[in-house]
Amino acid sequence: MKLAAIDIGSNAARLQISTVLHNDNVVSFKRVEYVRFPLRLGHDVFNFGELTPESEARTAKLMQVYKLLMELHEVEDYMACATSAMREASNGHEVAKRIEASTGIKINIIDGSKEAELINNVVVQALDERQFLHIDVGGGSTELNLYENRQKINSKSFKIGSVRLLEGKETKGAWRKIEDWVEDNIDSTKEIIAVGTGGNISKLFNLASKTSELETTLSEIERIRDYIAGFDQEDRINKLRLNADRADVIVPAAGIYISVMRWAGADKIIVPDLGLKDGIIQLVYAQLGKKKHVL
């Protein structure tokens, strides 16, 4: 059986198709298809407050492509979720309805708490009893989640992200709000370890020297950030081989991870290969019996 997740973010839209595996009483998911396309919806929304007709047309076209891929893979069930850009767009819900009418793909516009919940449901599997600060930086928002003993203690969504920073549209006082939240919620008498999710931290982690398979240090993330910042956009694409839509946002995104880690006093960061799309897959499996969005 195959299930699919569509994650429509402020920078890119992703499709993941996974096979459900059963080993005794343990259920797991194996990725068999992954496609990412840089829609950059945040550019419209953070500058103009709405999605333009051009962005709507491109999104509809991409949803049609994703629908065809799901049909070819004989996907049994799926869910499409849109985050910061579409939920902040004044015409987000209208656009979602028109896209559903033209493509058959229902787009669920989820709030920051639901986004964090879906990511947390898979990230918690990589944690132990220690104190962890989960940092998820998207194009339009950053979600922080505090864990201890594999239980979520607190969480908060902030209107600051890689595309929003690139456009100079971060919410006034957002940096201070993050710093205050970290100071108010983290127990500084205990070790704190950061957990990073999102496309930018995954790329930074791939370039970094690692202390283990899933872990590196704050100083190493800072080093890689400074190294990339030393190249202009063209050289980041041609010499560092970064995608164009990654090359311009990776340094602003790195700044968020680094700042939060510094404020928290976290010297190490774990980067599991997990994200919103994995949380959506898990939710689809849990709700499979409802058959709401079967192709």
Side-chain angles (χ1 to χ4, degrees):
M1 177 173 63
K2 293 179 183 177
L3 305 176
I6 298 174
D7 166 13
I8 305 172
S10 301
N11 190 31
R14 302 164 178 85
L15 167 69
Q16 179 169 307
I17 299 174
S18 297
T19 298
V20 181
L21 303 177
H22 298 271
N23 184 7
D24 295 327
N25 293 323
V26 178
V27 176
S28 61
F29 307 97
K30 180 183 179 182
R31 182 188 304 178
V32 295
E33 184 74 80
Y34 176 72
V35 183
R36 176 184 180 275
F37 186 84
L39 286 173
R40 196 57 69 90
L41 299 182
H43 172 76
D44 288 357
V45 179
F46 305 146
N47 283 285
F48 314 120
E50 63 180 13
L51 295 166
T52 62
E54 293 78 14
S55 286
E56 179 179 342
R58 293 172 76 231
T59 303
K61 188 177 292 185
L62 185 61
M63 292 305 102
Q64 189 63 50
V65 170
Y66 285 175
K67 181 179 181 181
L68 290 171
L69 275 171
M70 289 191 290
E71 289 176 350
L72 285 169
H73 275 280
E74 299 181 344
V75 165
E76 184 163 336
D77 205 358
Y78 79 97
M79 181 175 288
C81 294
T83 56
S84 182
M86 193 168 277
R87 70 175 171 246
E88 289 185 36
S90 61
N91 59 345
H93 288 279
E94 290 79 5
V95 167
K97 288 178 181 177
R98 288 195 292 268
I99 290 174
E100 181 180 4
S102 64
T103 69
I105 298 292
K106 177 179 174 58
I107 297 174
N108 301 277
I109 300 176
I110 60 175
D111 60 23
S113 60
K114 184 63 175 180
E115 180 181 357
E117 176 189 334
L118 290 172
I119 300 170
N120 294 343
N121 288 342
V122 290
V123 168
V124 70
Q125 299 167 21
L127 308 183
D128 55 33
E129 290 74 22
R130 293 174 293 177
Q131 185 179 215
F132 291 90
L133 178 60
H134 172 216
I135 311 165
D136 182 76
V137 177
S141 64
T142 293
E143 273 68 48
L144 300 183
N145 305 279
L146 184 62
Y147 284 91
E148 192 167 357
N149 295 318
R150 302 187 79 232
Q151 299 294 319
K152 186 167 70 173
I153 306 301
N154 209 338
S155 65
K156 183 74 173 179
S157 179
F158 300 89
K159 288 187 177 181
I160 188 169
S162 58
V163 177
R164 203 188 289 270
L165 281 176
L166 185 68
E167 302 283 351
K169 300 297 181 180
E170 67 271 20
T171 303
K172 184 178 180 181
W175 287 109
R176 183 55 187 267
K177 289 178 181 177
I178 294 177
E179 184 177 6
D180 288 346
W181 187 91
V182 168
E183 182 179 340
D184 291 343
N185 287 280
I186 290 178
D187 185 349
S188 59
T189 66
K190 299 178 181 178
E191 179 188 22
I192 181 75
I193 301 168
V195 180
T197 54
N200 287 296
I201 193 64
S202 294
K203 177 56 68 173
L204 290 162
F205 184 72
N206 287 341
L207 295 171
S209 297
K210 301 166 184 63
T211 54
S212 71
E213 183 181 356
L214 296 177
E215 185 179 283
T216 190
T217 62
L218 170 59
S219 60
E220 184 62 12
I221 295 297
E222 291 173 325
R223 184 187 71 80
I224 293 298
R225 188 272 309 270
D226 294 344
Y227 175 71
I228 296 172
F231 294 84
D232 61 22
Q233 176 76 357
E234 184 177 352
D235 283 343
R236 292 180 194 178
I237 295 169
N238 292 300
K239 293 183 178 180
L240 301 183
R241 304 179 70 83
L242 296 176
N243 291 335
D245 67 297
R246 179 74 68 207
D248 59 353
V249 296
I250 192 168
V251 171
I256 299 175
Y257 289 102
I258 290 167
S259 295
V260 174
M261 289 181 70
R262 284 175 178 169
W263 293 329
D267 297 321
K268 298 183 290 186
I269 183 167
I270 295 171
V271 185
D273 185 21
L274 297 168
L276 178 59
K277 59 193 182 305
D278 303 283
I280 296 171
I281 291 280
Q282 189 167 285
L283 178 61
V284 171
Y285 178 76
Q287 296 183 340
L288 188 57
K290 297 181 180 180
K291 299 285 186 180
K292 285 188 175 180
H293 309 307
V294 177
L295 288 170

